Amino acid sequence: MKKIFFALALILFAKFNAQGWKTDEQYIQKFATYAVEEMEKYKIPASITLAQGLLETGGGQSRLAQQGNNHFGIKCKEDWNGKTMTHTDDAPNECFRVYDDPRDSYEDHSKFLAYRPYYVNLFKLDMMDYKAWAHGLKKAGYATNPRYAYILIDKIEKNKLYEFDKTNSREVLYAVLKMYPDLKNDRIFMARLDQSGSSGNPVTVKVPYEQTSYAKQQKNVEKIVSKAETLQSILIKSHPNGGKKFVIVPEDIDLAAISKKFQITETTLMKWNELNGTQLKRNDILFLEHKSSTGNVATYKAQVGESMHDIAQKFGIKLKKLYSKNRMDYGQQPTSGQLIYLQSKKPKK
């Protein structure tokens, strides 16, 4: 009986893990917002942008996307002065662009299409005609695969990406929720949805009645409103290291308040962030999921006064892994200018 239960648990665990962000559905949920924002700025259909991103990254699984935040396979070209990485594509060890954040990759893709003469005829097409855009991209030489247009169209129709051509940046998350109703049970997604519609709205709070002077009661009100406004201002961000969800603490606050806002237990948040206490300081980085085991850059020079925990939070790396990579005892702190290894293990002397 125990063996049967264990086997069933493994199956359920595998099924749960299969819903990771590396699937097409999770990719759409995560990056639809960027595609719609680019549509508003550059008049490129969001469906086309998302379909290209899905195709180029294999739903977020490609090496270029994970290590270089490059979602569209854009090569260095002569006008690129940013970071680069080598990757075998049409030829061995070609030069590809590296971005600090996936959002930068999305905007660079828009500029790539908008500012190059080969694609000028695309912008004469109806923005709602994704089929014409798909064939236009192939005709302009965006890809060498003769079936490129049909592959994009299949991606769009299979995933109903055309729905994003009809929305805007204020309502895109509602379109995502309509497409994937089960997201109502995802506390982080619902927090993103809440914050997307909260900008500029007044804060309503309940103030417990206390028989005291008006001045003292007024101070209580101001204190409660201030805390509510602080919590409302906390926005979820995607870390360059694997897109991990995190927030930046806007001012000194207790962990319990953030725990309540995102419905994640204090114990879990303390474990994910390797915290020894619950008092958070202004500008602290707090992750809302497990951190990575490795960094998105190779090394980093420690700054004056930085602890290993500071560096682990800055780069989204588990603290024990960071100590292990650098052959340091747990609790030992770096010196100013010390080279900290974030990917491979520090070479032995």
Side-chain angles (χ1 to χ4, degrees):
M1 185 68 183
K2 286 184 178 178
K3 288 183 178 179
I4 294 172
F5 177 78
F6 182 69
L8 181 61
L10 282 178
I11 292 169
L12 290 173
F13 181 75
K15 186 176 180 182
F16 176 79
N17 273 357
Q19 300 304 312
W21 79 278
K22 293 179 181 178
T23 64
D24 280 6
E25 293 78 14
Q26 288 291 328
Y27 186 92
I28 293 163
Q29 292 163 17
K30 189 168 186 178
F31 297 111
T33 303
Y34 295 175
V36 172
E37 287 173 355
E38 294 306 307
M39 178 175 68
E40 291 180 339
K41 288 187 287 185
Y42 294 94
K43 310 304 178 187
I44 300 167
S47 60
I48 287 289
T49 302
L50 270 177
Q52 287 187 287
L54 280 169
L55 180 60
E56 291 288 347
T57 67
Q61 298 182 70
S62 75
R63 176 172 173 263
L64 284 175
Q66 293 190 351
Q67 295 182 21
N69 286 321
N70 188 331
H71 285 240
F72 300 94
I74 298 181
K75 296 176 184 177
C76 296
K77 304 291 183 184
E78 64 284 350
D79 58 346
W80 180 250
N81 297 315
K83 299 175 187 176
T84 65
M85 66 183 286
T86 55
H87 180 73
T88 298
D89 188 42
D90 298 324
N93 296 322
E94 291 184 278
C95 182
F96 284 85
R97 302 181 181 192
V98 170
Y99 305 93
D100 291 330
D101 188 274
R103 189 187 292 273
D104 298 331
S105 177
Y106 269 75
E107 178 145 24
D108 197 33
H109 166 263
S110 298
K111 291 177 179 177
F112 191 85
L113 296 183
Y115 300 152
R116 278 173 166 73
Y118 326 111
Y119 306 112
V120 65
N121 288 328
L122 288 173
F123 296 89
K124 298 175 184 177
L125 300 172
D126 183 351
M127 230 175 42
M128 302 297 286
D129 192 349
Y130 60 85
K131 291 182 180 179
W133 271 80
H135 286 290
L137 280 165
K138 177 65 188 78
K139 187 177 179 181
Y142 189 91
T144 56
N145 188 330
R147 288 192 47 79
Y148 185 75
Y150 298 101
I151 294 170
L152 286 186
I153 292 168
D154 181 65
K155 286 278 185 191
I156 290 169
E157 295 181 344
K158 180 181 176 182
N159 294 289
K160 299 182 180 179
L161 302 182
Y162 45 75
E163 294 294 340
F164 296 112
D165 296 338
K166 306 170 189 175
T167 190
N168 57 60
S169 56
R170 295 183 304 279
E171 299 171 357
V172 59
L173 290 181
Y174 293 98
V176 172
L177 183 60
K178 184 178 179 181
M179 194 175 289
Y180 303 102
D182 287 347
L183 281 173
K184 66 181 183 294
N185 300 316
D186 186 319
R187 57 181 177 266
I188 292 180
F189 176 83
M190 293 307 291
R192 285 176 62 203
L193 185 68
D194 178 60
Q195 74 186 29
S196 73
S198 65
S199 180
N201 293 336
V203 176
T204 303
V205 297
K206 291 183 179 179
V207 181
Y209 175 74
E210 184 181 345
Q211 190 169 358
T212 184
S213 69
Y214 173 80
K216 189 174 180 181
Q217 184 72 354
Q218 189 64 23
K219 283 185 178 180
N220 288 341
V221 170
E222 289 171 0
K223 187 176 180 181
I224 293 170
V225 169
S226 176
K227 182 179 177 182
E229 287 175 340
T230 297
L231 289 172
Q232 190 183 52
S233 72
I234 297 174
L235 303 179
I236 298 174
K237 300 175 182 290
S238 291
H239 199 279
N241 188 8
K244 300 291 184 180
K245 297 287 185 296
F246 75 99
V247 297
I248 297 176
V249 179
E251 62 179 58
D252 294 2
I253 195 171
D254 195 83
L255 185 65
I258 293 180
S259 168
K260 185 177 180 181
K261 176 179 173 69
F262 294 109
Q263 296 181 357
I264 304 173
T265 66
E266 289 182 56
T267 303
T268 301
L269 287 173
M270 290 180 74
K271 180 181 177 182
W272 287 344
N273 292 276
E274 297 114 348
L275 298 175
N276 295 320
T278 61
Q279 197 60 41
L280 301 174
K281 299 293 184 184
R282 179 183 172 85
N283 293 328
D284 276 354
I285 293 172
L286 189 77
F287 282 86
L288 304 180
E289 57 183 313
H290 284 289
K291 290 186 289 181
S292 299
S293 296
T294 188
N296 62 318
V297 294
T299 58
Y300 170 75
K301 282 190 177 180
Q303 305 297 307
V304 177
E306 266 188 328
S307 67
M308 287 294 276
H309 183 264
D310 293 335
I311 297 170
Q313 293 300 96
K314 180 182 286 186
F315 291 98
I317 304 173
K318 294 174 182 175
L319 185 57
K320 283 187 178 179
K321 294 287 184 182
L322 190 63
Y323 271 111
S324 175
K325 288 180 192 297
N326 289 276
R327 304 181 188 277
M328 294 169 64
D329 295 330
Y330 196 87
Q332 186 180 353
Q333 301 306 330
T335 56
S336 176
Q338 181 178 335
L339 192 65
I340 302 297
Y341 288 79
L342 306 176
Q343 292 179 342
S344 59
K345 203 155 189 174
K346 179 182 177 180
K348 290 183 178 179
K349 291 183 179 179

